[in-house]
Amino acid sequence: MLKIVNTLIRGAIADAEEAVFDANALQILGQQLREAAQAVEHSKRELACAMAHHSSELRAIEALDARVKDLEASGREALSKGREDLAREASVVVAALEDERGDRQKAVERFDRDITRLKCLVEDGRQRLADLRRGFELARAEEALHRAGANGRKALISGAGALREAEGTLARIKTRQQLNEDAGEALDAMERDESGRDLEDRLARAGFGSRLRTNPDDVLARMRKRDGNADESGGSVPQS
């Protein structure tokens, strides 16, 4: 059981590390590029130092060659004049100088190999660093585009509800305006109808056309007339 728990913990830690790495991949890559650039610059400085030592050794070899040549010339001259002792001393010095020249020549050969290797490493590092920088810029641009697209999609999704609400509000406004317009037209029609009926009433009261409404005076006159007829008929009835 403990082994399973430890395995689960290691798995969770690995997943967390990967999640952190993925979330900060561009920042990590940027730092790695800065470190790689520093390494390439260090390699350049090492190459420059090796080339400087190489040049120094070449100058030392040239100086040794010149001294050996001078001492050999002096020794031969000493031998020609019977000074074998001086010639021997010169030969001892020449031998030491030739040994030193041999050592320095070997050092120059090592410098040649190191310089060739460092030049290849520096050039390879420079090319790879340039490729990585281009890739980094492209990745950063793509990340910015992806982030902008994601933000745009989020904005559209969050704005869809607002758009629907705005469309609903506009529809209600149009409906209310249409109702107001219909009510206005109805009022206009009613006013026109009322105006027409009033004109007909006024014409009828003036004696033109038939009355649209019953005149209370006519009703009262009719009632009086009926009362008068009733009185006349009652007076003619014979008394018993």
Side-chain angles (χ1 to χ4, degrees):
M1 184 67 182
L2 182 61
K3 183 178 180 181
I4 295 175
V5 171
N6 290 331
T7 302
L8 289 174
I9 292 174
R10 290 196 302 271
I13 292 173
D15 291 339
E17 289 177 352
E18 290 182 359
V20 171
F21 182 86
D22 291 338
N24 301 277
L26 281 177
Q27 289 81 355
I28 294 172
L29 178 58
Q31 180 59 31
Q32 290 172 340
L33 284 176
R34 286 188 288 271
E35 294 174 357
Q38 292 175 358
V40 171
E41 289 299 322
H42 180 72
S43 298
K44 288 182 179 180
R45 288 193 295 270
E46 291 295 325
L47 175 60
C49 184
M51 294 175 69
H53 284 295
H54 181 266
S55 299
S56 177
E57 290 298 322
L58 288 177
R59 288 192 299 270
I61 290 173
E62 290 177 357
L64 289 172
D65 286 339
R67 191 178 179 190
V68 166
K69 186 182 294 185
D70 291 341
L71 286 174
E72 284 183 348
S74 298
R76 286 194 300 268
E77 187 177 356
L79 283 174
S80 66
K81 293 183 179 181
R83 295 298 304 271
E84 186 174 349
D85 56 334
L86 293 177
R88 180 172 292 278
E89 291 181 9
S91 66
V92 172
V93 174
V94 167
L97 292 175
E98 287 180 348
D99 290 339
E100 181 181 358
R101 183 180 60 185
D103 293 338
R104 290 185 178 273
Q105 186 63 43
K106 291 178 182 178
V108 167
E109 292 173 358
R110 288 196 302 271
F111 280 129
D112 285 337
R113 291 193 297 270
D114 291 341
I115 288 171
T116 301
R117 179 177 57 84
L118 284 173
K119 282 183 177 180
C120 292
L121 290 174
V122 169
E123 181 62 22
D124 180 68
R126 189 187 65 80
Q127 290 290 344
R128 292 171 64 185
L129 181 61
D131 293 339
L132 284 171
R133 281 174 172 167
R134 286 193 296 270
F136 175 70
E137 293 298 329
L138 289 174
R140 187 163 59 179
E142 290 179 0
E143 181 67 19
L145 289 174
H146 175 73
R147 186 167 56 252
N151 292 336
R153 287 191 294 272
K154 289 180 181 177
L156 287 175
I157 292 171
S158 62
L163 288 172
R164 286 193 296 270
E165 292 177 358
E167 290 170 350
T169 302
L170 178 60
R172 291 182 62 182
I173 291 173
K174 289 183 176 179
T175 301
R176 181 174 54 81
Q177 290 175 344
Q178 185 63 44
L179 289 174
N180 292 336
E181 184 177 351
D182 294 341
E185 292 179 355
L187 288 174
D188 292 340
M190 291 173 63
E191 289 179 358
R192 287 194 299 270
D193 293 342
E194 290 294 333
S195 176
R197 285 194 295 270
D198 181 70
L199 176 60
E200 293 175 351
D201 289 341
R202 287 187 285 112
L203 287 171
R205 285 195 298 269
F208 306 103
S210 60
R211 290 182 178 273
L212 299 178
R213 295 179 181 272
T214 302
N215 193 340
D217 294 338
D218 295 340
V219 174
L220 182 60
R222 187 174 65 250
M223 293 170 63
R224 288 175 177 173
K225 184 177 180 181
R226 288 178 179 176
D227 290 341
N229 290 335
D231 292 341
E232 291 178 358
S233 60
S236 60
V237 174
Q239 294 180 356
S240 55

